[in-house]
Amino acid sequence: MAIRKRNLVKERANTGSNARVANRRRKGVSTIIGITIFLLIFAIAVSYTFAWTQNTGSYLQTVNQQVDLDRLKLGENLMVTALNTTAVTVTNPTGNVIIVDQIWSGGLPVWSGQQGISNNYGNCTFNNATSGNGQFTVVTTRGNIFSGGLQSQLAAATRRSWGIYWYYNGSTTNLPPMPANLSSSFSSFVGQSYYYDLNLAWSWTAFNNPVIGGNYNISSDTLFGFVANTTLMKLSDSPATINYHVDNNPFSNNSVVISFVPYGQNATIPSSWDNSTQLILQYGADSNYTVIPGPQYSLYTVTIYFYTFNDTNVQLSLNIVNATIASFAP
Amino acid sequence: MVLPLSKDKGVSEIIATVLMILIVTVLGFSIFLYGLGFFTATTSANNQATATGIQSLQERFVIVDVNFTVTTTPVNNTIVNVTVYNYGTTNEKIVGIYLNGTQVSNVNSKWIYPNQVELVTGNVPFNVTRGIPQAIRVVSSLGNYYENEYGY
């Protein structure tokens, strides 16, 4: 019995060993299948991850390109100077070339194309804006918009100065955007300048001394004058005063008109600049004043109309009391 | 006594092995197919989202001019005319105009090609006060917008 039991144990042991060997062989099949499927899934995951990474890379590349475009766009700056209602000069003060794509005026496109403006104060004049109105909007290829015009009250206010627009009774037909009911005799626009104080004096002994710019001459019988704009802010509730002094006696060849309206309203101007019956301040006195009412910090648009002719010594002095030139953020 | 036992064990092992292979195969391929579908769908969505995102980034436009016109027929119908300039590198479609935060009706949606301007108009469904700046916003089909204030 004992021998038989030992044999039985041996047989079982042998049988178990064989079974393990067989099991090991058979286990490999499912393992290989499992590994294959795992590798397939892994390969798919890796390939798609690669595709996602490529997408993310493309997106980030586009972001970089757009950031570069934004940087170039932010670096653009143009100075727009209207010469008259149909011509404008665009100056590029930056270090990069700027390409102008369109110019608009009065709600209409007056020029289109692509014109490069050289860097470091390069400029280009666009003529023939026949439907222009003196206010120009310049659009660049990078989407920037710059504006400029003959009369820019905001520009003067930004500089805390008087914006002065000079005219004479020349024969040119390039009418500046003068108030419509001013005398047509002041039909020629000479130029634009800015004065922090409106205190002017010059001698026209020879009637050919340059007054504005370096190359302007005027004859003895030429009407010559300007329209000056600014925005005043009252400094107290007391009335503000604008005192003026013009030339010396006899005060026959000069005229001064001072107009003021609340900021945002159109100026009430005389029916005719050089021969008006509605002058606030007019012939007959070389010194006078005007009073501006209103509460503290109220804003007024003040316009001075001035002309002179056939007078050797021209002088205009203004003294503003209880008000200051308002400043606006650009 | 020994042989019958061995025979029985062999049959069950073969069945077990075949079953195991079947289960592994079926389960494995099920997971594989699910994964394939999942990754395909996800990647397709990712491709589309990336393409849309890139196009949205490349959309660039600006309002260059705005004016208002009042028609007589119908009486006092205010129309806002917005000129939009596409300075980007992709085509874009303007689909909406907002005036002071209110949507303008009957907007004539237009495609604008790179470096081109287009006039987009719409009816203003309310009275516009003259003399004050009007906030105009134009919206593209991809959700980008440009807004600024313009005089009336």
Side-chain angles (χ1 to χ4, degrees), chain B residues 14-132:
Chain B
I14 289 168
I15 292 169
T17 304
V18 169
L19 279 173
M20 189 179 290
I21 291 170
L22 275 173
I23 290 167
V24 167
T25 308
V26 169
L27 273 178
F29 270 98
S30 300
I31 294 170
F32 169 73
L33 289 174
Y34 174 79
L36 188 67
F38 173 77
F39 283 121
T40 305
T42 311
T43 305
S44 173
N46 185 269
N47 284 341
Q48 202 169 353
T50 305
T52 307
I54 288 174
Q55 200 178 0
S56 177
L57 279 175
Q58 290 174 332
E59 258 196 1
R60 286 164 173 265
F61 53 92
V62 65
I63 298 174
V64 293
D65 190 69
V66 170
N67 62 65
F68 295 86
T69 51
V70 180
T71 62
T72 51
T73 312
V75 179
N76 293 332
N77 182 31
T78 305
I79 294 174
V80 58
N81 306 289
V82 184
T83 307
V84 182
Y85 172 50
N86 175 6
Y87 65 96
T89 54
T90 181
N91 299 340
E92 61 205 22
K93 190 176 190 182
I94 299 300
V95 294
I97 303 175
Y98 290 81
L99 177 62
N100 298 326
T102 304
Q103 191 169 12
V104 170
S105 59
N106 297 330
V107 174
N108 64 334
S109 300
K110 278 187 179 174
W111 281 100
I112 309 177
Y113 304 109
N115 292 321
Q116 299 291 319
V117 290
E118 282 289 349
L119 180 68
V120 186
T121 61
N123 293 334
V124 181
F126 52 87
N127 292 327
V128 184
T129 309
R130 284 181 178 273
I132 62 170

Side-chain angles (χ1 to χ4, degrees), chain A residues 26 48 55 66 70 73, chain B residues 2 13 43 46-47 60 87:
Chain A
R26 282 195 288 273
Y48 282 117
N55 282 343
Q66 301 307 313
D70 279 337
K73 182 184 176 187
Chain B
V2 174
E13 278 180 7
T43 305
N46 185 269
N47 284 341
R60 286 164 173 265
Y87 65 96

Side-chain angles (χ1 to χ4, degrees), chain A residues 193-264:
Chain A
S193 56
Y194 293 92
Y195 285 72
Y196 290 104
D197 295 303
L198 206 56
N199 294 312
L200 310 170
W202 68 83
S203 172
W204 260 341
T205 306
F207 298 108
N208 60 0
N209 291 334
V211 175
I212 174 171
N215 54 2
Y216 185 75
N217 296 331
I218 193 165
S219 62
S220 61
D221 58 350
T222 300
L223 281 166
F224 184 79
F226 61 78
V227 178
N229 292 308
T230 195
T231 303
L232 289 183
M233 182 177 68
K234 289 199 62 190
L235 295 177
S236 74
D237 291 330
S238 304
T241 308
I242 300 177
N243 300 299
Y244 81 91
H245 175 80
V246 179
D247 203 353
N248 49 12
N249 290 323
F251 184 35
S252 58
N253 297 330
N254 302 292
S255 174
V256 177
V257 178
I258 300 177
S259 166
F260 62 89
V261 291
Y263 179 71

